[in-house]
Amino acid sequence: MTPDALAASIRARRASLGGRFLRLVAGRLKNLRFTASAEQLKTLSAHRKGESDLVRRDGMWFLIATCDMPDLRVKDPDGFLGVDLGIVNIATTSDGTRHCGKALNAVRHRRRELRRRLQAKRTKSAKRLLKRRRRKEARFAANTNHVIAKQIVTEAERTGRGIALEDLQGIRDRVRLRKPQRVTLHSWSFHQLGDFLAYKAARAGVAVIYVDPAFTSQQCSSCGHVDHRNRLDQASFSCTSCGFAEHADINAARNIAAHGETDWAVSHAA
């Protein structure tokens, strides 16, 4: 597409904001118009900084602009909201909120089966479709992670708490799972979800702390007893010492929250 044709196709779209310069092969284009949500336009107007890129994806044009967002001062947390990241439930909080679960896993399984069938065909059309689906699945995962992160940060901000997360560096090399679970683990970006939580928390002034994940799934959040037999299965937890029973992910999230409070007190004792 020539620069003139590109400019004409951009101008043909409904506009919400203009007056910016964009460097093209044929020179600078002024008064480039584009659409965005009210919140995005407000952010661009107040914090736009640096260069912008015009990207064409799947027949659509996207303007990617850099914004320099100042972080708020981190507030002293009144306790911590623990977050347990998992396979069945992508994120579970110590308040008992489980994000995603069966509905999302059904979508992921259906897409994985379609991807497997396309890979088996090995035709050019199948490869093209696979490429498009990879981008679609990446957008789906990113959007889901954004929604989960926003809900968790909003709840922590509302209650004046910080967020305690497991330090999951090297999780793929550390955990031992059956093959179907390994496929699910490798197909979801837990690192991306952690990054989204961190930057959204920084923008909201919410404290974030990373704790050692060792034994959080085997420790009783009521009495502190640690035993691998406490974890009956993926979803069930029952303490062999005090008899406390809870959903396994919620129990782990409560342990993470408690570890977060302890680690924060130690690191800020001065």
Side-chain angles (χ1 to χ4, degrees), residues 83-94:
V83 181
D84 176 63
L85 304 181
I87 295 175
V88 176
N89 296 300
I90 293 176
T92 304
T93 70
S94 51

Side-chain angles (χ1 to χ4, degrees), residues 13-39:
R13 299 178 181 273
R14 296 286 296 178
S16 296
L17 184 67
R20 304 292 186 186
F21 282 105
L22 189 70
R23 288 189 178 91
L24 299 177
V25 176
R28 294 194 303 177
L29 177 66
K30 187 178 180 181
N31 294 324
L32 173 68
R33 295 181 173 271
F34 56 91
T35 60
S37 67
E39 182 180 355

